[in-house]
Amino acid sequence: MTSFGALTNALTRRKIQVINHLLVLDIIAILLTILYAVYQGDLSAADPLIYTMSYSLVVFFVAFILIARHNERIFVNDSYRLVPTSDTGLYSANLLSAFISMIYLGVTQIIFSMIAAAMNFQQVMTTLGQVFEHSSPTPGSMNSRSEIIGALIGLVILMIVSTIFAWASISLIHLTTSALTAFLPDIRSRLYRFILYVVVIAAILYILGKIVNPIGDIFYGMVNDNSYYQIYLSSLALLVVAGLESAVNVYLLRNWVETTNW
């Protein structure tokens, strides 16, 4: 049996390669934008940090899509499905490797932002100082330093959990469609497969909407009550849903999903 660690390392290396290619494009885009601003003569001291953080949003979005695509290919790839490990191990290693690759991307983006901020370090520190200076406690409002820090940490956790939930949901749609395709061998036309995907996506999104809507109510209550601790409750709820989705995904992977030699 292939160990879980070895399998995770192998999958992580492939995903890190995808991230590295994306980072090269990110650096090129940032440098070209800065050079263009210099050429135009309107580069301000804060622009490098603004450009870097703006491109980070694009990079994270593209990386999420590429990693999700890579995840799904693993599930229908002969080479990986024939690895001597359990379907639960393969699914878990695939998800963990995706998470590690996104953490790697996050660390690189923080480093890029720190380098950009160093070009205008004094102004950045002054802005941060003003934020905390105006965060004195006020009765009935969430603006004390500890609450702000707690809310920021909670939001980071929520973003991580939301990413895992999104990957699990994408896998659920993909594996469900693959299982139905295998169960109905007459569906070979691209048009029929497209219709099947639309139906499955609509059905799963409807079910997930019924499950996730209460989490939105938690956010609504958090805003009204000026309380940040409910962010953690929302993260826990999403994590539970992602766990249930993962259990279904492993079942489909073990019993219904066939490989397609990708």
Side-chain angles (χ1 to χ4, degrees):
M1 292 288 288
T2 303
S3 69
F4 180 78
L7 181 59
T8 302
N9 288 335
L11 294 176
T12 301
R13 283 196 298 270
R14 296 292 302 274
K15 292 181 173 69
I16 290 296
Q17 291 176 355
V18 175
I19 297 297
N20 284 337
H21 293 156
L22 191 57
L23 288 176
V24 171
L25 296 177
D26 182 28
I27 294 173
I28 293 174
I30 293 172
L31 292 178
L32 288 178
T33 304
I34 292 176
L35 290 175
Y36 180 76
V38 171
Y39 174 76
Q40 293 286 75
D42 55 0
L43 181 70
S44 67
D47 282 347
L49 180 58
I50 294 174
Y51 296 152
T52 301
M53 296 183 68
S54 298
Y55 280 118
S56 289
L57 299 176
V58 178
V59 168
F60 272 108
F61 178 74
V62 175
F64 172 83
I65 295 176
L66 293 178
I67 295 301
R69 179 171 175 266
H70 198 277
N71 283 346
E72 301 315 307
R73 287 192 167 189
I74 293 298
F75 294 139
V76 292
N77 186 293
D78 281 338
S79 300
Y80 289 102
R81 291 293 298 277
L82 293 176
V83 171
T85 187
S86 65
D87 292 308
T88 301
L90 176 61
Y91 181 85
S92 301
N94 198 21
L95 192 60
L96 179 59
S97 64
F99 176 72
I100 293 173
S101 66
M102 292 300 286
I103 293 295
Y104 168 73
L105 176 61
V107 171
T108 59
Q109 292 304 305
I110 291 175
I111 294 174
F112 290 173
S113 296
M114 290 175 63
I115 294 174
M119 300 179 183
N120 190 26
F121 182 77
Q122 188 60 43
Q123 182 176 340
V124 172
M125 294 305 297
T126 299
T127 302
L128 290 176
Q130 291 174 349
V131 170
F132 282 103
E133 181 180 351
H134 291 86
S135 63
S136 57
T138 300
S141 64
M142 189 188 69
N143 61 357
S144 69
R145 292 188 183 185
S146 61
E147 288 179 325
I148 291 176
I149 293 174
L152 290 176
I153 294 175
L155 287 174
V156 171
I157 294 175
L158 181 61
M159 289 174 60
I160 293 174
V161 172
S162 297
T163 301
I164 295 175
F165 168 74
W167 278 330
S169 300
I170 291 172
S171 294
L172 181 59
I173 292 172
H174 173 227
L175 296 178
T176 300
T177 306
S178 297
L180 291 176
T181 302
F183 185 71
L184 302 172
D186 292 332
I187 298 182
R188 302 180 184 275
S189 168
R190 288 185 177 181
L191 176 60
Y192 288 153
R193 289 179 64 88
F194 174 76
I195 294 174
L196 180 61
Y197 262 105
V198 171
V199 172
V200 171
I201 290 173
I204 291 178
L205 289 181
Y206 176 79
I207 295 172
L208 290 179
K210 292 296 184 180
I211 297 174
V212 176
N213 276 342
I215 299 176
D217 295 336
I218 293 176
F219 271 112
Y220 180 76
M222 178 192 69
V223 174
N224 285 344
D225 297 337
N226 292 312
S227 175
Y228 71 87
Y229 77 92
Q230 295 187 60
I231 298 178
Y232 296 91
L233 183 59
S234 300
S235 299
L236 179 60
L238 277 180
L239 193 59
V240 170
V241 177
L244 295 175
E245 287 181 315
S246 296
V248 176
N249 289 337
V250 171
Y251 170 78
L252 292 173
L253 198 62
R254 180 182 299 122
N255 296 286
W256 294 102
V257 176
E258 300 177 356
T259 59
T260 56
N261 296 311
W262 275 1

